[in-house]
Amino acid sequence: MTIFVTGGAGFIGANFVIDWLAAGHEPVVNLDKLTYAGNLENLVSLKGNKKHVFVQGDICDQGLVEKLLAEHQPRAVINFAAESHVDRSIHAPEDFIQTNIVGTFRLLEAVRAQFAKMNDAQKSAFRFLHVSTDEVYGSLSLTDPAFAETKRYEPNSPYSASKAASDHLVRAYHHTYGLPVVTTNCSNNYGPYQFPEKLIPLIIHNALVGKPLPIYGDGQQIRDWLYVGDHCSAIRAVLERGRLGEVYNIGGDNERANLDTVKALCAILDIARPRSDCKAYADQMTFVNDRPGHDRRYAIDARKIIAEVGWRPAETPESGFHKTVKWYLDNDAWVKNVTSGTYRNWVAQQYQ
Ligand code: NAD
Ligand code: DAU
């Protein structure tokens, strides 16, 4: 048996594949387009591992996906592939529509064709797990309850709207065609291999190279942070024990205002790698123009996955932040490679 992962050279997908194989599970076929966010260096620890088959390709290429599914006959498909950065979706939404909506549709069509060829035992064992985001639910006020699975979808960015559309397609393929799907909607992740366009790796990187630490607006937007390894363990648990057609929200009960997150990272860096002038990294914080349509608060109500699936996060916010800072300090060659070339163009455009 194998599993088929899409987007497994990106941040969460790579962590998932590495953890999956480290735990001794089945081989993985990993389909990734290798966009700017996909990086084979994330998978370097799997070099020579016969249980990892990497294929460079696009989920929009239905023929390729059909061929791979027929060849490898996976017992599960886990869809991580997406355009994932909100700010990029504001500058250039087209790729988000293509990959997140059209790509999910093509992938579902390919899976539906393969599912139709399975025998009853294969059908009952098969799962399509769609990895989605809490951003589909929109924005909360300070007094609103956290996002439950029953919360109405109110996406506010081209990114979240495209993910919302993909979630609806996945739901429709279950109800219309009986495809055995489960969807997970997770809060903000952080950890190893995250591309430094996202807040936490961007702050660590900028701090270390002496650049400003850009805080959008008043810095009081709240995010509910979860260590990536805990997201991956939740996906494994839902794959094993999630009920068909259900949605599971995933979160670590770790709501923080962005300003507090940045200050916490600066404080860890002050001890782990003090500035040569002995000043505080927090001195580099700079307030910049806000993100258009910036969601104020996300918060996850994770009671369903805890009660039904028996999942809980292993990391506390403190342990997760410390681990992450240490990883970026220990992996400066990885950071140097991903922050060369086109990364510079993005930073120049976004923070000019
Ligand atoms: P990422 O941007 O780091 O990685 C995305 C990966 O998908 C890259 O390797 C990229 O090359 C690949 N990809 C993009 N378009 C593709 C296509 N058309 N065909 C095949 N591969 C393609 O993203 P991430 O942060 O790892 O997020 C993974 C998934 O998890 C996404 O679906 C995202 O919406 C979801 N998610 C992310 C977070 C988060 O905090 N990062 C939280 C919740 C959910
Ligand atoms: O909630 C889950 C989502 O989390 C995922 O679906 C997305 O793929 C992922 O990118 C993330 O979205 P956010 O927009 O919340 O993450 P980002 O790291 O871009 O920003 C986190 C917060 O920090 C957000 O309120 C914007 C703010 N920010 C971000 C950047 C890049 C800043 O203040 N300054 C910055 O330079």
Side-chain angles (χ1 to χ4, degrees), residues 6-14 31-39 42 57-60 79-85 95 98-100 103 130-135 159 163 184-190 193-195 197-198 225-226 231:
T6 70
F11 162 50
I12 304 171
L31 175 69
D32 195 297
K33 186 177 173 182
L34 296 182
T35 66
Y36 78 91
N39 183 357
N42 299 354
D58 192 331
I59 58 166
C60 296
N79 183 29
F80 293 95
E83 289 292 337
S84 70
H85 191 36
D95 287 348
Q98 279 310 321
T99 284
N100 299 0
H130 180 59
V131 179
S132 192
T133 169
D134 60 356
E135 298 202 12
Y159 163 68
K163 290 295 291 186
T184 55
N185 293 83
C186 188
S187 61
N188 286 66
N189 283 212
Y190 66 94
Y193 303 112
Q194 188 168 30
F195 193 73
E197 63 185 354
K198 309 280 167 62
W225 295 98
L226 182 72
H231 186 185

Side-chain angles (χ1 to χ4, degrees), residues 65-264:
V65 179
E66 280 177 5
K67 187 174 135 302
L68 290 170
L69 295 178
E71 186 182 338
H72 296 282
Q73 310 227 351
R75 68 151 175 112
V77 172
I78 305 170
N79 183 29
F80 293 95
E83 289 292 337
S84 70
H85 191 36
V86 173
D87 293 320
R88 288 186 192 253
S89 83
I90 294 167
H91 285 281
E94 176 87 33
D95 287 348
F96 291 72
I97 306 304
Q98 279 310 321
T99 284
N100 299 0
I101 305 179
V102 179
T104 303
F105 163 67
R106 296 281 174 221
L107 182 65
L108 283 165
E109 278 292 277
V111 172
R112 182 162 80 93
Q114 181 63 22
F115 187 68
K117 292 184 218 149
M118 292 178 193
N119 63 33
D120 286 349
Q122 289 168 325
K123 277 185 174 160
S124 71
F126 186 76
R127 295 287 179 276
F128 180 94
L129 192 151
H130 180 59
V131 179
S132 192
T133 169
D134 60 356
E135 298 202 12
V136 297
Y137 296 122
S139 183
L140 296 169
S141 74
L142 280 181
T143 52
D144 284 332
F147 298 133
E149 289 79 0
T150 48
K151 165 80 175 66
R152 185 158 69 104
Y153 272 33
E154 292 179 293
N156 291 319
S157 71
Y159 163 68
S160 54
S162 66
K163 290 295 291 186
S166 70
D167 292 8
H168 292 321
L169 283 168
V170 171
R171 177 190 161 87
Y173 272 62
H174 174 66
H175 285 269
T176 307
Y177 303 115
L179 208 65
V181 310
V182 259
T183 296
T184 55
N185 293 83
C186 188
S187 61
N188 286 66
N189 283 212
Y190 66 94
Y193 303 112
Q194 188 168 30
F195 193 73
E197 63 185 354
K198 309 280 167 62
L199 181 70
I200 288 183
L202 180 95
I203 293 300
I204 299 170
H205 172 62
N206 281 16
L208 293 171
V209 297
K211 283 188 174 173
L213 310 181
I215 317 278
Y216 294 167
D218 63 3
Q220 291 309 314
Q221 302 82 10
I222 293 171
R223 295 294 182 265
D224 190 351
W225 295 98
L226 182 72
Y227 187 70
V228 64
D230 284 325
H231 186 185
C232 294
S233 72
I235 291 170
R236 291 195 301 274
V238 169
L239 188 63
E240 212 175 295
R241 298 186 291 279
R243 282 186 297 134
L244 293 188
E246 290 292 320
V247 171
Y248 295 92
N249 287 353
I250 306 171
D253 197 14
N254 181 27
E255 285 185 60
R256 284 189 191 214
N258 291 338
L259 202 53
D260 295 334
T261 298
V262 174
K263 283 181 182 164

